[in-house]
Amino acid sequence: MSTNEALLRVEDLRVAFPSEDGIVHAVDGITYQVHPGKTLGIVGESGSGKTVSSLTTLGLTRLQGAHISGRILFEGKDLVTLPDDELRTIRGNDIAMVFQDPLSSLHPLYKVGKQLIEAVRAHRDVSKDQARKRAVELLGLVGIPDPGGRVDQYPHEFSGGMRQRVMIAMALANEPKLLIADEPTTALDVTVQAQILALMERLQHELGMAIVIITHDLGVVAEMADDIAVMYAGRIVETASVDRIFASPEHPYTWGLLRSIPTLDRPRDEDLIPIPGTPPSLINPPSGCHFHPRCPYAQPEHARIDPALEQVPGAPGHFAACLLEPDVRRRLWAELRSGQTPQEAVADVGLPEAAA
Amino acid sequence: MIRYIIRRLLIGILILVIVCALTFVFFRVLPTGNPALLRAGRDPQPKLIKEIEVVLGLNKSLPVQFWDYLKEFFFHFNLGYSYYSQEAVKSLIVERLPATLSLTLGAAVLWVIGGLSVGIISALRRHSLLDRFSMGSALVLLSVPEFWLGLVFLLLFSSDIGKLRIFPGSGSYVGLTADPWKWFTSLIMPWIVLAAGSAAIYARLIRSNLSETMREDYIRTARAKGLPEKAVVRQGVRAAVNPLVTLFGLEVGVLLGGAVLVEAVFNIPGIGELNYKAIQSSDFPVTQGTVLLAAAFIIVANIVVDIAYAYLDPRVRF
């Protein structure tokens, strides 16, 4: 990965929100890049900071009184320090976003056409008629039948999947260079999910835009993404190409994510394995490695030492933030992949049993 | 839609009959002064009272009286005659209606504009000094009785007894057609006093509604589109005002039936004042007429609100 040609480069981004209970460190120093025409998948549980980091890219957390530091470089401009009105000309124009819940993301009282026209006219000096033509064209592009008629309907007259298509059409109104899709399929039926993902892939090929897709579901990004960043408690704990993440993941949290998705090649009676525990508090995150309270392989000193995101030896572009030795990790993953439980793997590899 | 409106109108007529019956019961069955007795003067002969009762129809049985009244009202649109002046109640009302209309509609314009603008600014600058000040004042305006506020205004600003003699005082109302400028100036204080309480309610309601809608997902979408903040706020306001429409319809409906207190304080010859005097003198037909008028206004306002809703919110269908 060469850094020069990156379309979006996020460097040591930190976002914190003051709250009544203390400061919420929603994003705690993350770094990633997105290259033109490529897809980055950001994966993590709810509350891992994945949505906040992308909202911050669009400048949408500023209004909520967030403390933001670090840099978000988009085509050479730092979006963290860019004045509001300049940021607005990028929002919905060069960078567009599709949100999780298409049912609540469209204004219920305005016709779909009006909302699309608005998106076009926010950045293009075109007449209402031209913008309307564009709106119809966009609805056709995202596969909505009878776009000429549907353009005059209200959101409640569309199904969930169709509304998400509308949201995508709206995001594409000005042919953005980067599309951020935040859990775009989570609120949808499984069959519709596949359609929406296929649509996004097709549009990416046609329009050549880069995509950041945010999800809690590794299955969603498996087919679409080129690279994957796994987030935990406001940090990226592992990042690599999609093939490496699935073939030789390095971080115990990633293992947990991989083992909790159902696949067709495992026996049907085998239980899915959940990751024990709950995501940590972002106000008082656990000491040391933030994952250690939930990690079956954690050693006593992991509660003190904070791991850095380091390159995996012999694997350029693959980074992980784990205190276990690389060869221990490899052996553990081999055990897990052969169907062992974490406890069996710990015993086989000869790690001292974790205190937790 | 048409069927819905017709159904609502029929229900409205039924409600009017019920209101008629209720006022009838209140004034005939519950102890009030006997209108005949009140009219007969000092130490009347029983014979005279009987005669008056015959003239007023009070000697018939109550159901018959009620039936007579309903018949006249629904088939001849006749509301009867005042026990005192013998004038037709209908013409009394028609005479008074312009004053009440002027008062209510003017105040409505004032409270909508005032309430909404203060509320919107407060919602957008929550917890600012301006917000605290406006919400504090709103609370005060909500709490003070309007007759008291009216008297304070008169003592401060009226041209006869005020400290600063700016506006024409009590009893200065003239019809719009007689002298538009005088009409306007005489109504400034009543408008403000009548609008104050409602403006305060509107300001507080729009503030809380707008604070809520500005957190909706579709507002985030609007921002993500790169719309200017003004356009984003407009979308929030559009969604926040809908619930106020119900309130507005009802309030205007109620006030058209007579803003009794404000009309009394400023001595404006409107429906409220007519009703007030009629109650004082047991002038039953006038009371009945004004109460029916008020009920009719509320019924119509409700129907108008419901129809307006279908236009304001595309999700509402009948």
Side-chain angles (χ1 to χ4, degrees), chain A residues 55 60 63 88 91-92 99 104-110 115 118-119 122-123 154 156 167 170, chain B residues 216-221 223-229 234-236 238-239 242 312-315:
Chain A
L55 287 177
L60 295 179
L63 297 154
R88 191 176 66 71
R91 224 157 40 211
F99 297 99
S104 60
S105 293
L106 287 163
H107 200 299
L109 306 181
Y110 293 132
Q115 302 190 46
E118 235 174 26
H123 301 285
Y154 289 95
H156 71 273
M167 286 299 292
M170 196 181 292
Chain B
E216 292 281 354
D217 286 350
Y218 52 78
I219 293 299
R220 189 180 57 187
T221 306
R223 288 212 175 94
K225 273 193 265 193
L227 292 183
E229 194 58 23
R234 203 181 307 134
Q235 295 202 355
R238 174 68 184 81
N242 265 12
L312 290 172
D313 190 336
R315 291 167 297 184

Side-chain angles (χ1 to χ4, degrees), chain A residues 58-72:
Chain A
L58 287 179
L60 295 179
T61 50
R62 284 185 188 182
L63 297 154
Q64 301 164 22
H67 301 305
I68 305 165
S69 70
R71 299 206 296 171
I72 301 173

Side-chain angles (χ1 to χ4, degrees), chain B residues 18 33 88 130 147 149 153 176 198 200 207 228 233 264 284 313 318:
Chain B
I18 295 170
L130 188 69
F147 66 87
L149 192 64
F153 263 76
L176 172 64
S198 301
R207 177 181 179 269
V233 170
F284 172 67
D313 190 336
F318 302 113

